[in-house]
Amino acid sequence: MKNRLAQFIEKQKQTKEKALIVFFTAGYPNMDATEKLILASVNCGADIIEIGIPFSDPVADGPTIQYASEYALKNGATLAKALLVVKKARAKTQVPIVFMGYMNTFVAGGAKKSFASISAAGVDGVIIADIVPEENKAVEGILKKYNLAQSMLVAPNTPAKRMSAIANKTTGFVYVVSVSGVTGARKGFSIDITDYLKKTKAAILNKARYVGFGVGSAKAAKALAPFCDGVIVGSALINIIKEKYPKSTWLNSVCNLIKNIKKAIK
Amino acid sequence: MNKKEYFGSFGGQFVPETLMAPLAELECALKSALKDSSFKIELNSYLKNYAGRQTPLYFAKRLTQMYGGAKIYIKREDLCHTGSHKINNTLGQVLLAKRLGKKRVIAETGAGQHGVATATAAAIFGLECVVYMGEEDIRRQALNVYRMELLGAKVIPVTSGTKTLKDAINEAMRDWVTNIANTFYVIGSVMGPYPYPLMVRTFQSIIGKETKQQILAVEGKLPDYVIACVGGGSNSMGIFYNFIKDKNVKLIGLEAAGAATLSKGSVGYLHGMKTYVLQDKYGQILGTHSISAGLDYPGVGPEHSYLKESGRAQYFPITDFEALNAFKMLAIYEGIIPALESSHAFAYLPKLAPKLSKDKIIVVCLSGRGDKDVDSVLAVLGRNK
């Protein structure tokens, strides 16, 4: 049976609409807020929810997500608590949900047990930031067994042939890393980003390509959208939460950016 | 698993995709350099005429008499230029950086010895040098911070996480991901993604190679024990490597008790490698606590994990108290002030040497000198001992 993410990607092939993927760190600022963010995001037009599982040593992340991860961990965030949030949200939404994190937190206590519980909670896929195809044997069999789609990453310095190979390994979407660098909202992209995105289009066939890292505004999303199948927004949303929470308007402020980006990529 | 990236089941390349291209480039450069006699000649010339190799293997007569058992020899890496074995590796890596045409080198440092050695090698070749160092380590190793700055390096304080070595590595990796086009990451230990553990061991294995020749020349036989401290594990891997095939030579690594990755940890993934790490049940990496900044690391080079698992080497924890005692002993009995890191290796001598007969031989790797630690030791012990 196809999971929700696979179904969404299949449907997107017909509609050709650009997807909006939003990222939140589990437990930032707390687990209740994460649940609210999931539900609100769906109402405001997000197509896929990506939940970051905080890790003590997030080498692929910039200052914003590092901060959110450290904050969440200090508040006692765990994978199990994030799964409870998903279980609760599943009573109200069938939006595709993927977990993003690092190898060590995913496989702690045993990879099988861990991915089985992730799947059972209603998560549709995973993104493991420090797994490349060469090391994927460590997880791919288990992910398949538990019907979890794996989205793998390509970067600006990935050769075209390797991009195709990564796409072949991918069972979810291809996460197109927009920049050489870490996650985090940026003022702008280098001028050759469209060339790079065209290169990914030529190399990656039959897989959805969603662009992330540094997509910080509706303007940036609008500029990228024609060259990909969707955009991923994370740090920009977390920055809003950091600024506004717990003011009464915090959730609305997050929603407004989601709405604006969704409008911009139509 | 027999893949080249692995030592037994440890090692690998658990990194973001952006690092795969520079790792492939590095592997290629390393292979061609090691086959290139001009590279070897240049490196050996710097090791000899600049760093001061070979380092002596010194018979510690008074220490031997005091413990009353096995003969104790000390491999004097503290006599290397910059004061530790770290220069063996940074000269090799910076020469590779030059070969790759990189204009900027970055490094992480805990105690500051690797940072100083990187800044030194960068100065020789006129490369820009940036060193990441945890805020906590900057405080307790202030002398080395100033040394790096004198050598023209920029020291960037790391305030994330535990503010020590592991966080400095995270920050260096982030810098590398961001600046891959012009930057070479000089990793200071036998850790990180392949080919780093192999490369650093290759550059450090000169320690064991010399030791073997020296002990054979003096004693006409191999030692019974080779012992060294282990943080990331570069001096120990360097002295162990050429003895691995000599099954009668026992290899013993000493860890800080507050950062005893191999003695108390479990298998996990950190800094691009599968290896033993200190972690909680959720897979979060734990903070470590040692008087010695250079051993304050919750991971360890994957080849050590392999040596532990295969039983070829043994690893034991040493407390701060034991290390401080050893620090004093070496000063009083042999006139050598050792680094606190190296003191952990010497702290095993009272547990081992007296039990062995006088015809047995122990070689201890003295990885660095202790000038940098005098302030820390004074703060703990005070003037009246």
Side-chain angles (χ1 to χ4, degrees):
Chain A
M1 194 194 79
K2 279 190 173 155
N3 69 30
R4 299 169 199 88
L5 179 64
Q7 285 173 25
F8 175 83
I9 292 170
E10 197 65 33
K11 200 178 93 196
Q12 196 194 7
K13 277 183 191 161
Q14 314 302 321
T15 65
K16 308 273 185 204
E17 277 177 23
K18 306 296 177 182
L20 173 58
I21 299 89
V22 297
F23 171 97
F24 303 106
T25 297
Y28 179 74
N30 53 60
M31 288 293 174
D32 284 343
T34 303
E35 190 188 343
K36 286 194 181 101
L37 284 164
I38 293 173
L39 298 173
S41 301
V42 177
N43 289 334
C44 300
D47 298 297
I48 298 169
I49 312 288
E50 194 183 319
I51 299 294
I53 304 303
F55 179 43
S56 53
D57 296 82
V59 292
D61 287 304
T64 302
I65 295 177
Q66 280 177 51
Y67 167 83
S69 300
E70 266 191 51
Y71 188 103
L73 286 175
K74 273 185 195 144
N75 271 351
T78 62
L79 179 65
K81 287 180 189 168
L83 289 174
L84 272 181
V85 168
V86 173
K87 273 185 196 162
K88 282 199 250 170
R90 274 287 171 247
K92 294 170 188 160
T93 176
Q94 292 305 305
V95 69
I97 296 177
V98 298
F99 273 12
M100 180 162 191
Y102 292 82
M103 189 64 177
N104 206 52
T105 37
F106 275 130
V107 304
K112 267 189 194 164
K113 201 176 132 195
S114 176
F115 289 120
S117 64
I118 290 172
S119 177
V123 175
D124 303 295
V126 296
I127 304 163
I128 308 174
D130 51 355
I131 275 282
V132 290
E134 285 83 348
E135 305 292 355
N136 207 38
K137 277 208 174 67
V139 292
E140 62 190 7
I142 303 168
L143 294 177
K144 198 176 165 195
K145 183 175 174 197
Y146 293 106
N147 198 23
L148 287 167
Q150 185 185 13
S151 298
M152 301 194 81
L153 298 89
V154 300
N157 61 351
T158 307
K161 224 173 136 182
R162 186 176 165 85
M163 281 184 187
S164 307
I166 290 171
N168 283 335
K169 283 261 179 203
T170 289
T171 52
F173 56 86
V174 176
Y175 193 127
V176 178
V177 176
S178 66
V179 293
S180 260
V182 292
T183 58
R186 285 167 175 79
K187 284 256 153 33
F189 291 101
S190 68
I191 37 168
D192 48 7
I193 180 119
T194 51
D195 287 345
Y196 161 55
L197 293 180
K198 283 177 190 162
K199 187 177 137 191
T200 64
K201 185 172 182 161
I204 300 165
L205 307 168
N206 291 319
K207 291 279 159 68
R209 293 171 302 121
Y210 301 157
V211 181
F213 281 38
V215 185
S217 63
K219 197 180 151 201
K222 192 182 172 76
L224 296 173
F227 306 98
C228 62
D229 304 307
V231 295
I232 306 168
V233 183
S235 294
L237 297 170
I238 290 176
N239 281 333
I240 293 176
I241 300 169
K242 192 175 166 187
E243 194 192 321
K244 303 277 183 181
Y245 189 87
K247 286 179 200 159
S248 59
T249 55
W250 77 277
L251 201 54
N252 267 337
S253 304
V254 173
C255 261
N256 284 340
L257 180 61
I258 294 173
K259 279 182 193 160
N260 286 341
I261 293 177
K262 182 73 180 178
K263 210 161 80 188
I265 61 174
K266 272 214 165 137
Chain B
M1 256 178 281
N2 293 315
K3 282 170 71 185
K4 68 179 192 310
E5 294 85 357
Y6 278 80
F7 305 96
S9 63
F10 300 100
Q13 296 177 305
F14 295 87
V15 292
E17 169 64 20
T18 311
L19 292 184
M20 289 307 279
L23 287 173
E25 179 188 56
L26 176 61
E27 182 185 3
C28 208
L30 176 68
K31 272 189 182 162
S32 89
L34 294 177
K35 278 186 211 150
D36 179 353
S37 55
S38 71
F39 177 85
K40 283 191 274 190
I41 290 167
E42 191 177 11
L43 176 58
N44 285 335
S45 157
Y46 277 105
L47 288 172
K48 183 181 171 204
N49 303 315
Y50 184 79
R53 299 209 76 88
Q54 68 178 14
T55 58
L57 181 71
Y58 163 74
F59 174 56
K61 193 176 166 190
R62 289 196 69 211
L63 215 54
T64 299
Q65 282 170 351
M66 198 251 305
Y67 290 122
K71 282 178 146 176
I72 298 164
Y73 282 87
I74 301 175
K75 180 59 173 167
R76 297 290 309 273
E77 291 300 299
D78 61 316
L79 294 177
C80 287
H81 178 49
T82 72
S84 83
H85 71 293
K86 294 291 188 190
I87 192 84
N88 304 330
N89 171 44
T90 60
L91 283 171
Q93 287 200 47
V94 171
L95 274 172
L96 272 182
K98 202 183 81 166
R99 211 176 154 91
L100 284 167
K102 306 280 179 182
K103 302 276 184 249
R104 177 175 182 266
V105 296
I106 58 170
E108 82 293 340
T109 199
Q113 292 301 93
H114 174 60
V116 167
T118 305
T120 300
I124 303 175
F125 300 108
L127 302 179
E128 183 191 347
C129 178
V130 171
V131 180
Y132 290 92
M133 190 169 185
E135 222 175 29
E136 167 66 11
D137 293 336
I138 286 183
R139 185 189 60 74
R140 56 182 172 169
Q141 302 284 340
L143 179 66
N144 271 345
V145 176
Y146 188 52
R147 287 172 79 201
M148 287 183 265
E149 287 169 354
L150 283 174
L151 291 160
K154 188 176 173 195
V155 181
I156 300 183
V158 176
T159 56
S160 57
T162 60
K163 304 178 177 60
T164 59
L165 180 56
K166 87 172 171 70
D167 308 284
I169 295 168
N170 292 340
E171 212 48 44
M173 288 180 91
R174 291 179 190 121
D175 178 315
W176 195 32
V177 168
T178 309
N179 301 296
I180 33 173
N182 71 343
T183 298
F184 188 102
Y185 180 15
V186 181
I187 293 187
S189 194
V190 287
M191 45 143 297
Y194 175 86
Y196 277 99
L198 175 78
M199 172 169 69
V200 178
R201 180 250 277 161
T202 303
F203 290 141
Q204 290 294 3
S205 62
I206 190 159
I207 305 173
K209 197 175 152 196
E210 286 177 6
T211 302
K212 201 170 190 175
Q213 288 164 357
Q214 289 168 315
I215 199 76
L216 284 172
V218 184
E219 292 281 350
K221 61 174 183 176
L222 293 176
D224 299 283
Y225 290 85
V226 173
I227 72 180
C229 67
V230 182
S234 71
N235 88 86
S236 43
M237 211 53 240
I239 197 165
F240 285 176
Y241 186 66
N242 275 278
F243 292 102
I244 288 176
K245 286 188 181 142
D246 305 306
K247 301 287 182 203
N248 293 325
V249 180
K250 294 188 179 67
L251 308 174
I252 296 179
L254 288 313
E255 302 183 294
T261 309
L262 287 162
S263 317
K264 298 172 186 168
S266 55
V267 178
Y269 300 84
L270 177 67
H271 295 145
M273 55 185 169
K274 180 183 180 191
T275 190
Y276 274 81
V277 297
L278 290 169
Q279 57 186 329
D280 66 15
K281 63 176 173 174
Y282 305 111
Q284 306 300 342
I285 304 301
L286 295 170
T288 51
H289 302 282
S290 165
I291 191 169
S292 130
L295 302 184
D296 239 346
Y297 180 56
V300 68
E303 199 167 7
H304 282 295
S305 293
Y306 175 57
L307 292 180
K308 174 197 157 81
E309 198 130 295
S310 66
R312 181 63 191 92
Q314 285 182 291
Y315 299 86
F316 302 106
I318 295 291
T319 64
D320 284 358
F321 179 76
E322 291 171 313
L324 282 165
N325 268 338
F327 177 93
K328 286 192 288 184
M329 287 296 187
L330 202 61
I332 289 164
Y333 282 87
E334 296 293 349
I336 298 170
I337 297 175
L340 280 173
E341 289 76 15
S342 325
S343 301
H344 286 71
F346 286 87
Y348 194 62
L349 288 175
K351 301 180 185 187
L352 178 68
K355 286 192 244 164
L356 300 174
S357 59
K358 291 184 177 172
D359 59 332
K360 300 287 185 193
I361 299 167
I362 302 171
V363 174
V364 191
C365 188
L366 175 50
S367 56
R369 67 173 189 235
D371 310 43
K372 69 183 176 64
D373 295 315
V374 170
D375 277 347
S376 304
V377 174
L378 180 65
V380 178
L381 296 182
R383 295 291 290 275
N384 302 320
K385 296 188 183 174

